[in-house]
Amino acid sequence: METAALIVVLVIALALFFDFTNGFHDTANAMATPIATGALKPKTAVLLAAGLNLVGAFLSTEVSQTVSHGIIRDDGVSDAFLPMIFAGLIGAITWNMLTWLLGLPSSSSHALFGGLIGATLVGVGVGGIDFGAVLSKIVLPALIAPVTAGIIAFAATKIAYSITRRYDNKPDGRDGFRWGQIFTSSMVALAHGTNDAQKTMGVITLALITVGWQSQDQADPHLWVIIACAVTIALGTYLGGWRIIRTLGKGLTDVKPAQGFAAESSTAATILASSYFGFALSTTQVASGSVIGSGLGRRGSSVRWGTAGRIAIGWLLTLPAAGAVGALAALLIQWLGGWGIAVDAVLAVAIIVGLFLRSRKDAVTHANAMSDVAESGLAVELPDTPPPTRRQQRIERAKAEAKARAAAREKAKADAKKARDDADKAAKAKAQAEKAAKDQKKAKGKSGSTGKKAKAGADAEKNSGKGESL
């Protein structure tokens, strides 16, 4: 019993540390967008997310019941299963720490489920897992929720741009969307608390059930479990989220406040609805789906399917990778017995410390949290010059028509002026021709009278000569 109690303490400590990593791993899901668009300052955003994670952890226990009573069959829960929970948590924490070091926005939820499933397969066998619950509560929501959130975000973005008659080259600081992001990002943080904090509660409750410290008929976790998990995830949210925020934040700098508002509204609505029904969602997947959907809601955008495919591959790798580590940890326990738990504990501490020390070589704080490129932001390609809206097209057509009318008026004026000039030239030419004709006629008249005078003079001279001869 003393050994079991010691293992329970180790499991609770490890579960709370996973809760801590979950907090700093998923901070960016709520706060990267308002930080990137300038709606909130980094430290203010993280503090707000921590407080709302704390509050959200008290609002629901449905997801906790899914973890403690849904995934593992009741006949597989016994004292012998307790080390398997320990091994599963090692798998989840190892994957969380590795992806945190790399700045990858992976799913903490799937890391936890993968670790537990891998350890259970080794310790209990296939019969220890309720695959129906895994399919209905984990796998299907993981496939449906990001698509649903993306569709909602797409429609919300279209509506936001349509109602406000905004277009992409209009300044964003003069509308209310940036202020609206404060509300929507707060809702995402609250929703994160209602979903992700519950998973750790479920793990601790499962551990208590295995040693008989809690009845299987008691679905809700103890109050001290709720408080411990709420405080831990809030602390992790406040202290450690900068590395993931750096990854998401830079890629989201192209996201305008209207898009951020739509994406966060969709994320919050999807997670809150899932928490109500007890679906254990990945907030990372839901948030990424919303970002992609809101990006497609902007005119002229297109999906970079290569990048989107890499994101999906990362999602798919999380569960089996954490499951493989959890299975290896469970095998060590089976091979070495009690010493296996000690070896796992030492290896877990070494991995955690090693990854943390490695992260110090490239420390990320609020001062440099916006330096990398976000995968989810890059999944949508936005045009350098967005296509014009219908309003812009009407304006451009009106301008073109006005320009054409002005050009026609100018051409008519020019044609009229040319006609007047031609008429003036013709009139001048006619006047000159008439004048020339008159001058010519006048010249002829002068020439005729001179000839007559000369002839008369000649006749007179002739007659004079005749008289002298007589």
Side-chain angles (χ1 to χ4, degrees), residues 27-69:
T27 307
N29 295 333
M31 293 301 168
T33 304
I35 291 173
T37 58
L40 287 172
K41 293 182 178 180
K43 284 189 174 181
T44 304
V46 172
L47 180 61
L48 181 61
L52 290 168
N53 266 335
L54 178 66
V55 174
F58 289 92
L59 298 182
S60 173
T61 59
E62 295 296 327
V63 176
S64 171
Q65 295 173 28
T66 297
V67 177
S68 61
H69 291 75

Side-chain angles (χ1 to χ4, degrees), residues 186-210:
S186 299
M187 291 301 296
V188 174
L190 184 70
H192 181 261
T194 65
N195 201 278
D196 281 53
Q198 312 298 319
K199 296 160 190 171
T200 306
M201 297 178 198
V203 171
I204 296 176
T205 300
L206 183 62
L208 296 178
I209 291 174
T210 59

